[in-house]
Amino acid sequence: MGSDGKFHKVTEVFTHVHKGKMYRIKSKCLGQVSLTDEHPVLSVKRKNINMHNEEFDLNWVRADKLKKGDYVAYPILNEEEDIEYVELPNLKRAMDRKSKPFPSKIKITDEFLLLCGYYLAEGHIHDREITFTFNTKETGFVEDVRKAAEKVFGLPTTVKTRAAKNTTEVFISSSQLARHFEGWFGTGAANKKIPRFLMLLPKEKQKWLIRGMWRGDGWVGKGRANYRTISRVLCEQLKNLLIRHQVVPTISVGKPYGMHKQSYSIQIVSRRDLGVLSDLLGVAIEMRNAGKPPSSILLTEYVLTPIREIEVFDYDGIVHNMEVEGVHSYVGENAILHNCGDFAILVALKGALSKLGRNPHETVVVSGVGCGSKLPHFIKTYGFEGLHGRSLPAASGIKLANHSLTVVDVGGDGDGYGIGMGHFIHTCRRNIDLTYIVQDNQIYGLTTGQASPTSEKGYKTKSTPEGVIEVPVNPITTSISAGATFVARGFSGQIAHLTDLIKQGIEHKGFAHIDVLQPCITFNKLNTYKFFTDRVYTLESQQWDPTNKAAAMVKAEEWGEKIPIGVFYKTTRPTYEDELPQLKDMPLVKRPIGNVDVSGLLKEYE
């Protein structure tokens, strides 16, 4: 689930070794999450630690900038898909000649949803049967299951009471139904889950699912209600359903002991939430005397929970991140986390190298200093992390030293168009055969949001409180006029298009400059993903001729209601390497280095 409360495809999962500080953010009610220091969290600054804010201004804030008492945001599930029937494909095995006729679809009724809830709490699959186990006093629940099985599926049930165990079991004998239930809900208490089609039903229908679950594994007492499960997935799903119904639970984890496994308690304790839960479950809940107001804040799209503790600890091990299609964010246990456009660019670069069939040992990725400077750490090639503004000299040197390598330089707008502008212009005019990808977020994202060379005029930042007074640098016109032979612009929100641009840039013989519009979600509140999504269009959608230099210069000035992305200009001329007599026609260097002859090793490596 993303920050918009909808489910999205995870396009990439990243892992790398992190050695340094980690921040464990623990909030009231919903749990905790552990992050590296720079990881952005959607949050609200707390104005007074002793009382709730009156206004809630949501911002992306680095983990190391959060304070105790600040609110972290959690999305309210708002994706809905109402279906009247659920399909039941034929799961009858080839040698099965005894099974009774089975429906091809069933209507999603209150009885069906109640039966599903009972199964999630008290059911399991055994051989060719579905078994529900209740306390002998829960005769009403037994009748619910019996009636639902007959009404919904037309199947009889068998009931057995085991006095020694004080239990009553209800059996539905149907191998096909057992297979469907196992596929939908899992079997075994630790593996229970709610299928997607039930998670997305309208709220009014879902209440019957929740009622069945609570009758089986929940209880209601004076001023408190509780549901317990040993399935972490089921805990998270029920949490989301309750929040969707405007009930904010408090999650606590019970440690394993003896024969008991780790458990998850979903508790409802505030008068606000208990009143809603009472209507949801259809039972009266006796309230305690009024106490403190709820810890959480319910907004239209989010639940805000205050941070109760921030634990900083040293860590040396694997950390993970995800690229999520569309929203570039995902939900942790208690908060919404962002994965920044840097990762979209990484995905595009990896995709381009893969499509080109470049081997890791034939590729070098160079970076300077900035938010994306760690990119070489995330990709399995040779890497070089250089100085601020000086990545192009390093990349040029690598290409000249071994011009058979594929060299890709990754920098930022401050890195390349600010302190590194001189190197940028001279690399353009030299036409060195390498690809330069600039992560242009129009602000200094690493050093807390100062204006960069591409910040729009009038934009207020920490370094320009009255607004930027300079005209912003136009990277496209600059590189065309300076002599680059491949000039393009991409958008980190369109990964497939960006992948193709990078692929074309690497294939091009000469200096390829690709400016990537990459919103800084932490500091840039003007040039956001929505800002660009509403404006960008591809040059490929028009009959565009990238060989027309004069037209490319005019098109590069287009910035406003519409912003073009794609290849602006492309031409051919001799590269810097081609012009150097000592490099022209020189093969891969295989000569002694110092007093060690490595030619044999190089040959073996090849």
Side-chain angles (χ1 to χ4, degrees):
M1 187 159 63
S3 59
D4 59 353
K6 294 180 171 63
F7 293 102
H8 300 267
K9 182 180 179 181
V10 176
T11 56
E12 189 86 9
V13 177
F14 306 100
T15 60
H16 76 282
V17 175
H18 172 77
K19 186 174 184 179
K21 299 293 183 184
M22 291 283 283
Y23 291 74
R24 183 171 290 121
I25 311 298
K26 301 179 181 179
S27 70
K28 293 184 178 180
C29 303
L30 300 185
Q32 64 184 31
V33 63
S34 296
L35 307 163
T36 55
D37 55 354
E38 80 282 0
H39 206 122
V41 181
L42 190 60
S43 60
V44 175
K45 192 70 178 174
R46 186 73 167 264
K47 295 180 179 179
N48 187 327
I49 194 68
N50 296 315
M51 61 178 64
H52 285 309
N53 288 7
E54 293 183 359
E55 296 180 351
F56 302 93
D57 183 20
L58 287 157
N59 289 288
W60 293 102
V61 179
R62 288 167 52 115
D64 61 353
K65 302 300 181 184
L66 292 169
K67 304 293 183 184
K68 181 179 178 180
D70 289 347
Y71 304 95
V72 289
Y74 190 94
I76 297 174
L77 176 63
N78 64 15
E79 187 171 353
E80 184 176 299
E81 186 177 326
D82 190 11
I83 56 174
E84 190 174 355
Y85 292 90
V86 59
E87 301 292 331
L88 296 175
N90 184 14
L91 298 180
K92 186 176 180 179
R93 291 176 178 167
M95 300 303 293
D96 185 352
R97 299 184 179 89
K98 297 182 180 180
S99 294
K100 297 178 181 179
F102 196 73
S104 60
K105 65 178 183 180
I106 55 159
K107 190 172 184 179
I108 296 182
T109 61
D110 297 346
E111 291 87 356
F112 169 71
L113 293 169
L114 191 64
L115 183 68
C116 292
Y118 279 132
Y119 176 81
L120 284 166
E122 304 289 5
H124 70 275
I125 306 298
H126 178 67
D127 196 18
R128 299 163 62 88
E129 294 180 321
I130 304 175
T131 305
F132 300 79
T133 306
F134 298 100
N135 185 279
T136 51
K137 296 179 180 179
E138 296 174 328
T139 55
F141 301 163
V142 171
E143 282 303 303
D144 286 343
V145 172
R146 290 185 67 253
K147 290 178 180 178
E150 186 171 342
K151 184 175 180 180
V152 176
F153 299 103
L155 295 171
T157 58
T158 303
V159 178
K160 293 181 180 179
T161 298
R162 304 181 187 276
K165 294 185 177 181
N166 200 29
T167 60
T168 298
E169 294 177 325
V170 185
F171 302 91
I172 304 176
S173 297
S174 169
S175 58
Q176 284 209 62
L177 187 59
R179 291 180 199 122
H180 282 298
F181 266 56
E182 185 171 6
W184 289 338
F185 307 107
T187 187
N191 304 311
K192 293 289 183 66
K193 64 184 188 298
I194 301 172
R196 179 180 172 84
F197 74 91
L198 295 186
M199 287 293 296
L200 301 185
L201 285 177
K203 292 196 300 183
E204 185 61 27
K205 290 184 177 180
Q206 285 179 340
K207 73 179 184 181
W208 291 99
L209 175 72
I210 296 171
R211 285 183 183 183
M213 293 174 65
W214 216 280
R215 290 176 186 180
D217 271 344
W219 56 265
V220 173
K222 183 177 180 180
R224 183 179 293 271
N226 188 78
Y227 185 92
R228 180 167 292 181
T229 177
I230 62 171
S231 168
R232 186 177 184 185
V233 172
L234 188 60
C235 170
E236 291 297 309
Q237 290 180 313
L238 180 55
K239 177 178 77 177
N240 281 315
L241 293 186
L242 290 172
I243 290 174
R244 189 185 188 198
H245 284 80
Q246 303 292 293
V247 176
V248 183
T250 296
I251 311 298
S252 62
V253 181
K255 295 181 179 179
Y257 65 95
M259 62 179 290
H260 298 281
K261 297 181 179 180
Q262 181 167 285
S263 63
Y264 305 90
S265 290
I266 305 166
Q267 303 168 54
I268 316 298
V269 294
S270 77
R271 292 175 65 90
R272 178 199 69 188
D273 298 320
L274 285 169
V276 180
L277 185 70
S278 176
D279 294 335
L280 183 59
L281 299 181
V283 298
I285 300 178
E286 185 180 356
M287 301 292 181
R288 296 180 184 272
N289 294 330
K292 293 182 179 179
S295 299
S296 59
I297 301 293
L298 275 165
L299 303 180
T300 305
E301 298 176 325
Y302 304 102
V303 170
L304 304 180
T305 59
I307 296 173
R308 62 181 177 85
E309 182 184 354
I310 300 176
E311 180 185 343
V312 184
F313 59 97
D314 292 317
Y315 183 77
D316 185 0
I318 296 293
V319 292
H320 306 266
N321 207 339
M322 290 184 287
E323 173 64 33
V324 180
E325 196 170 63
V327 290
H328 305 286
S329 60
Y330 52 91
V331 178
E333 196 173 272
N334 63 333
I336 303 169
L337 316 176
H338 207 287
N339 59 347
C340 191
D342 294 342
F343 289 97
I345 295 171
L346 173 62
V347 171
L349 175 57
K350 289 173 69 175
L353 291 171
S354 176
K355 287 183 178 182
L356 290 168
R358 293 296 198 271
N359 292 316
H361 72 274
E362 298 171 333
T363 308
V364 182
V365 179
V366 183
S367 69
V369 171
C371 291
S373 64
K374 295 298 181 185
L375 190 145
H377 297 237
F378 290 86
I379 191 165
K380 190 180 178 182
T381 64
Y382 286 115
F384 186 97
E385 188 177 347
L387 300 175
H388 195 205
R390 278 80 170 179
S391 62
L392 280 171
S396 299
I398 291 168
K399 184 66 180 181
L400 296 178
N402 188 344
H403 49 281
S404 68
L405 292 170
T406 295
V407 180
V408 179
D409 188 351
V410 182
D413 49 313
D415 183 52
Y417 305 147
I419 191 171
M421 177 59 92
H423 295 302
F424 173 53
I425 290 174
H426 291 301
T427 310
C428 287
R429 73 185 184 89
R430 288 173 182 140
N431 194 33
I432 294 177
D433 186 19
L434 60 87
T435 305
Y436 185 39
I437 302 169
V438 180
Q439 303 159 315
D440 189 355
N441 49 42
Q442 299 166 281
I443 209 159
Y444 279 96
L446 183 65
T447 53
T448 69
Q450 298 91 338
S452 86
T454 54
S455 295
E456 295 195 22
K457 187 173 181 179
Y459 188 49
K460 295 181 179 181
T461 72
K462 288 185 175 182
S463 61
T464 57
E466 301 301 322
V468 175
I469 61 174
E470 301 99 334
V471 174
V473 167
N474 186 322
I476 306 302
T477 57
T478 301
S479 61
I480 293 174
S481 61
T485 53
F486 181 97
V487 182
R489 178 194 285 147
F491 171 42
S492 64
Q494 293 191 15
I495 296 178
H497 181 260
L498 180 58
T499 301
D500 184 62
L501 288 182
I502 295 174
K503 176 176 176 289
Q504 290 184 60
I506 294 173
E507 287 177 314
H508 175 76
K509 186 171 176 58
F511 184 66
H513 168 227
I514 305 171
D515 184 72
V516 183
L517 304 173
Q518 178 222 313
C520 173
I521 48 84
T522 306
F523 296 111
N524 195 330
K525 308 306 178 187
L526 174 63
N527 308 113
T528 62
Y529 276 100
K530 187 177 188 308
F531 174 90
F532 289 119
T533 301
D534 292 345
R535 290 169 172 79
V536 298
Y537 71 93
T538 63
L539 291 171
E540 296 88 339
S541 63
Q542 304 180 344
Q543 291 185 337
W544 177 250
D545 178 11
T547 64
N548 189 329
K549 186 175 183 179
M553 293 292 282
V554 174
K555 180 62 70 174
E557 292 289 348
E558 185 179 335
W559 185 279
E561 292 301 316
K562 295 295 181 181
I563 299 173
I565 59 174
V567 180
F568 284 80
Y569 180 62
K570 182 177 180 180
T571 190
T572 57
R573 64 181 175 86
T575 65
Y576 189 75
E577 305 91 290
D578 292 335
E579 300 278 33
L580 284 176
Q582 63 268 46
L583 291 183
K584 193 175 182 180
D585 301 324
M586 180 186 285
L588 176 65
V589 178
K590 295 184 180 180
R591 64 176 185 269
I593 299 176
N595 296 320
V596 182
D597 186 350
V598 298
S599 58
L601 292 175
L602 288 171
K603 184 175 182 180
E604 181 181 343
Y605 183 71
E606 289 178 343

